[in-house]
């Protein structure tokens, strides 16, 4: 793909002396300082190289030769971005010439906010990878009709997902994590049908709330976000999500009813709070060589008989802080405020945001209103204390 006017649709937000630019074609955010943004803007307006060089030389009162070198460098960088861009794989697949062998190894049902969701697994690998997230919501029923039926197949190096006998999706088997994300999105839209299609995005983050305030922990696997979220839950907070946090276009985040996935290293820390963890069976992830256990969410405001009520799931809370956590056993606890510009790239790394101009504008306005922090912690109780202070008194 070439860097040309017809491929440049963008939105911009001014942050101090920087211009934060979203490029629709690439679905990418770039931070540009004033000289670079001026050049980019003129390319986007369709000016030719000679005109841009002349304008730049006049604006900054420099020789045209120097202006040409600068403009050429900016153009080269954008040309490289567009040339190297690869269109994301579309998981949707056309109907196969021959029917795929969607056989039933097992069938499991869950009930969420009054809706029955049925999983049909083609083998034990798919079942052990996906179902433990929702096992605590299992619902025994002989009812043939369900609100959402999802079938899974692992076949000839690919994993397939069929939704309601109509939509078929496929990924390479080594990208089974993409199937999990797509499944979560199907469940999300089903249980939040009043706002279907109204998502700003989904963040790989654990989120907890206290009253109508929430703190989000975006972090890569192994950072300690799930352990900290579990500790917050043990100290009276509600768990909104372990690692799949949906944000609506109005900026509110909603609950997602998945269990907390915990690696073995966190068990000694959490055993005294959640003794039931030691009774749960370890599961092996097919995408990573690690064993995990699943902890059932325990939200104080939810009914004790289990499940998520629709009223609780449909309501949203506002994010009052974004905290990037990293467990470090040698560091007691250090919470540091950072600029949103500094935090943006790490946040985007853990995000899925659609390539939609309206969404990009709302996202930038939303993100830059929320204070961001880093938390390096080895002292668990001190970390809990600091997060509680953010939830109770965000400034």
């Amino acid at each position: 793909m070439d860097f040309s006017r017809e491929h440049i649709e963008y939105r911009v937000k001014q942050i101090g002396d920087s211009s934060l630019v979203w490029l629709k074609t690439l679905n990418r955010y770039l931070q540009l300082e004033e000289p670079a943004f001026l050049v980019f803007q003129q390319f986007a307006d369709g000016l030719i190289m000679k005109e841009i060089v002349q304008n730049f030389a006049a604006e900054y009162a420099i020789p045209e030769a120097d202006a040409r070198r600068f403009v050429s460098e900016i153009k080269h960088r954008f040309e490289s971005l567009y040339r190297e861009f690869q269109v994301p794989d579309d998981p949707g697949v056309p109907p196969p010439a021959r029917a795929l062998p969607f056989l039933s190894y097992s069938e499991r049902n869950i009930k969420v906010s009054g809706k029955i969701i049925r999983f049909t697994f083609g083998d034990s690998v798919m079942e052990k990878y996906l179902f433990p997230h929702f096992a605590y919501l299992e619902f025994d029923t002989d009812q043939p009709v369900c609100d959402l039926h999802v079938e899974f197949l692992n076949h000839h190096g690919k994993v397939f997902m069929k939704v309601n006998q109509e939509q078929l999706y496929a990924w390479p088997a080594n990208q089974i994590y993409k199937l999990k994300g797509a499944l979560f999105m199907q469940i999300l839209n089903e249980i939040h049908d009043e706002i279907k299609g109204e998502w700003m995005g989904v963040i790989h983050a654990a989120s907890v709330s206290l009253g109508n305030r929430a703190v989000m922990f975006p972090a890569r696997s192994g950072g300690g976000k799930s352990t900290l979220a579990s500790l917050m839950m043990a100290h009276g907070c509600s768990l909104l999500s372990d690692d799949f946090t949906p944000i609506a276009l109005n900026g509110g985040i909603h609950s997602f009813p998945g269990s907390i996935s915990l690696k073995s290293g966190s068990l000694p820390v959490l055993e005294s709070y959640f003794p039931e963890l030691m009774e749960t069976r370890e599961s092996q992830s097919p995408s990573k060589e690690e064993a995990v256990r699943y902890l059932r969410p325990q939200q104080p405001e939810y009914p004790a008989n289990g499940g998520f009520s629709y009223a609780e799931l449909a309501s949203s809370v506002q994010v009052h802080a974004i905290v990037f956590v990293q467990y470090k056993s040698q560091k007691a606890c250090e919470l540091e405020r950072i600029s949103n510009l500094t935090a943006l790239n790490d946040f985007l790394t853990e995000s899925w945001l659609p390539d939609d101009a309206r969404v990009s504008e709302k996202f930038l306005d939303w993100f830059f209103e929320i204070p961001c922090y880093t938390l390096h912690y080895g002292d668990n109780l001190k970390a809990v204390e600091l997060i509680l202070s953010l939830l109770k008194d965000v400034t």
Side-chain angles (χ1 to χ4, degrees), residues 81 98 207 215 230:
L81 286 176
R98 299 170 62 183
S207 299
V215 170
S230 301

Side-chain angles (χ1 to χ4, degrees), residues 260-327:
I260 307 176
S261 174
L262 296 164
K263 300 179 182 65
S264 57
S266 64
L267 299 184
V269 174
L270 298 174
E271 180 182 3
S272 61
Y273 297 105
F274 306 104
E276 67 270 25
L277 262 177
M278 307 312 294
E279 303 299 321
T280 60
R281 180 183 300 177
E282 282 191 339
S283 298
Q284 194 77 21
S285 168
S287 61
K288 299 177 182 178
E289 294 183 0
E290 58 186 7
V292 296
R293 296 181 189 236
Y294 293 91
L295 175 64
R296 171 180 175 156
Q298 296 177 355
Q299 289 86 344
E301 64 267 48
Y302 290 169
N305 61 357
F308 284 65
S309 70
Y310 182 79
E312 294 292 352
L313 276 169
S315 62
S316 67
V317 294
Q318 297 300 311
V319 182
H320 282 260
I322 295 171
V323 183
F324 297 86
V325 301
Q326 181 63 60
Y327 178 79

Side-chain angles (χ1 to χ4, degrees), residues 93-102 153 155 160 162 166-169:
V93 297
R98 299 170 62 183
L100 290 168
F102 273 95
L153 171 67
H155 181 65
F160 296 86
K162 188 192 296 183
E166 296 176 356
Q167 298 165 290
L168 181 65
Y169 304 90

Side-chain angles (χ1 to χ4, degrees), residues 38-181:
L38 175 67
V39 173
F40 164 78
Q41 197 172 38
Q42 293 187 62
F43 274 118
D45 289 341
L47 275 65
I48 63 174
M49 182 76 169
K50 182 178 180 180
E51 293 172 315
I52 297 173
V53 169
Q54 290 173 344
N55 292 342
F56 190 81
E59 176 73 21
Y60 291 95
I62 61 175
E64 282 198 14
D66 293 339
R68 185 175 296 105
R69 279 192 292 270
F70 184 85
V71 172
S72 295
E73 175 63 24
I74 297 301
K75 183 183 180 188
H76 173 72
R77 291 183 182 181
F78 276 97
E79 285 174 339
S80 296
L81 286 176
Y82 276 76
R83 185 171 55 251
E84 294 166 5
F85 172 69
Q86 295 183 352
V87 178
D89 293 335
D90 182 358
V93 297
R98 299 170 62 183
L100 290 168
F102 273 95
L103 303 177
S104 177
Y105 167 82
S106 67
E107 189 167 273
R108 313 288 287 269
N109 297 283
I110 64 172
K111 191 172 185 179
V112 187
S113 64
K115 298 192 174 186
I116 298 175
I117 299 173
R118 179 163 298 144
F119 305 116
T120 301
F121 298 102
D123 58 46
S124 62
V125 173
M126 302 290 278
E127 180 186 46
K128 290 176 181 177
Y129 179 54
L130 296 169
F131 193 69
H133 291 280
F134 308 103
Y136 76 100
L137 295 167
E138 189 158 19
F139 178 71
D140 290 329
T141 178
D142 294 328
Q143 183 176 327
V145 177
C146 60
D147 296 282
L148 176 66
H149 185 201
V150 191
E151 300 172 75
F152 304 96
L153 171 67
N154 188 348
H155 181 65
H156 288 183
K158 288 186 176 182
V159 287
F160 296 86
M161 181 174 78
K162 188 192 296 183
V163 180
N164 292 334
Q165 298 291 322
E166 296 176 356
Q167 298 165 290
L168 181 65
Y169 304 90
W171 296 266
N174 61 1
Q175 295 180 13
I176 192 172
Y177 62 90
K178 292 185 178 180
L179 178 150
K180 183 168 76 171

Side-chain angles (χ1 to χ4, degrees), residues 207-211 213-215 217 228-241 260 274 296-302 383-392:
S207 299
V208 298
S209 65
L210 193 64
R213 289 179 166 179
V215 170
F217 306 127
L228 183 57
S230 301
L231 287 168
M232 298 306 302
M233 188 172 71
H235 285 81
C237 291
S238 296
L239 179 81
L240 297 175
S241 176
I260 307 176
F274 306 104
R296 171 180 175 156
Q298 296 177 355
Q299 289 86 344
E301 64 267 48
Y302 290 169
V384 169
E385 180 184 322
L386 288 171
I387 299 303
L388 284 174
S389 71
L390 291 178
L391 284 164
K392 293 176 180 177

